Amino acid sequence: QKEVEQNSGPLSVPEGAIASLNCTYSDRGSQSFFWYRQYSGKSPELIMFIYSNGDKEDGRFTAQLNKASQYVSLLIRDSQPSDSATYLCAASGGGADGLTFGKGTHLIIQP
Amino acid sequence: DAGVTQSPTHLIKTRGQQVTLRCSPKSGHDTVSWYQQALGQGPQFIFQYYEEEERQRGNFPDRFSGHQFPNYSSELNVNALLLGDSALYLCASSPGTDANTGELFFGEGSRLTVL
């Protein structure tokens, strides 16, 4: 059974600080990892994806992958109130394999 | 550029009934996936369609079936509805077979309530 684990939160971070979101995955065959943002009552929106060990940066967002530890993280720098949402971590084995999502971490950015 | 569109947005059914949900993928996308998201949970993969065929299926019973049409639009059918089928049903599209199918564009979903 493939699983992706996330702390459900809520994670409260002051505006302007760095928000750190983490997840672990059970299937060592997972090849690709994704972070989706979901605002309340809305559908998920892709923020970042990462395939290789190390860091990948895109604007204020940095995704980190450590396949040996089966660990994925998302850092959000200069957090804004608009970043308040649920962040879903997902893993895929590639090809037609559907995504396995975690339950999501509820992030609150305090003004 | 139209994104992924789903219909209906909300619907209420009773146990034992059948439901059909519809999805039109984003322009240029030919692969459609369906996910079920219960309240407070992450989306769960139901199945994926490409070239009018089911390519992969998640851990869902045969009561859940689907179809993809030549114009790439798709339907999700659920028979013999149970209370536990109450959820947000999300359609997601992606481009092509070689593209990483995790880079999904989601529709706004169809919220199904089973009474």
Side-chain angles (χ1 to χ4, degrees):
Chain A
Q1 181 80 353
K2 300 175 185 178
E3 292 184 340
V4 173
E5 299 286 342
Q6 295 181 257
N7 188 322
S8 61
L11 173 65
S12 187
V13 173
E15 183 176 357
I18 296 175
S20 178
L21 304 163
N22 308 307
C23 87
T24 59
Y25 59 95
S26 65
D27 182 14
R28 284 198 172 274
S30 297
Q31 299 179 12
S32 311
F33 304 87
F34 305 84
W35 285 98
Y36 282 81
R37 177 177 62 200
Q38 187 172 27
Y39 291 114
S40 181
K42 298 294 186 181
S43 60
E45 173 190 16
L46 180 65
I47 300 174
M48 297 267 313
F49 57 87
I50 187 166
Y51 311 141
S52 304
N53 275 329
D55 296 359
K56 178 182 178 182
E57 186 174 318
D58 183 1
R60 296 188 296 114
F61 299 95
T62 299
Q64 300 175 317
L65 173 60
N66 183 326
K67 289 187 176 181
S69 302
Q70 296 177 243
Y71 180 88
V72 192
S73 66
L74 178 70
L75 302 178
I76 306 175
R77 289 181 298 280
D78 188 24
S79 295
Q80 303 297 310
S82 59
D83 294 326
S84 298
T86 295
Y87 288 80
L88 298 162
C89 176
S92 171
D97 197 25
L99 292 183
T100 300
F101 281 88
K103 292 183 179 181
T105 297
H106 184 203
L107 175 66
I108 299 172
I109 305 301
Q110 295 180 322
Chain B
D1 178 23
V4 180
T5 58
Q6 293 187 243
S7 64
T9 55
H10 295 82
L11 68 166
I12 299 174
K13 294 285 188 178
T14 57
R15 281 178 296 175
Q17 285 189 311
Q18 178 264 345
V19 68
T20 297
L21 308 177
R22 297 176 176 83
C23 171
S24 292
K26 181 179 169 64
S27 178
H29 288 184
D30 55 10
T31 302
V32 172
S33 303
W34 287 91
Y35 287 80
Q36 179 196 66
Q37 187 174 25
L39 201 60
Q41 303 294 314
Q44 280 196 289
F45 176 65
I46 303 175
F47 41 54
Q48 183 189 91
Y49 277 86
Y50 172 72
E51 291 189 341
E52 303 178 51
E53 295 208 353
E54 183 183 292
R55 290 208 302 169
Q56 189 78 310
R57 187 180 183 93
N59 188 25
F60 278 81
D62 292 345
R63 298 187 298 110
F64 290 77
S65 63
H67 189 78
Q68 186 179 35
F69 300 94
N71 67 353
Y72 309 126
S73 66
S74 177
E75 288 183 349
L76 164 65
N77 300 292
V78 186
N79 294 323
L81 285 167
L82 304 174
L83 296 179
D85 294 332
S86 295
L88 180 67
Y89 288 85
L90 294 163
C91 173
S93 72
S94 54
T97 57
D98 294 330
N100 190 307
T101 55
E103 298 173 46
L104 302 176
F105 290 80
F106 283 91
E108 289 303 315
S110 294
R111 184 162 297 282
L112 171 65
T113 301
V114 182
L115 301 177

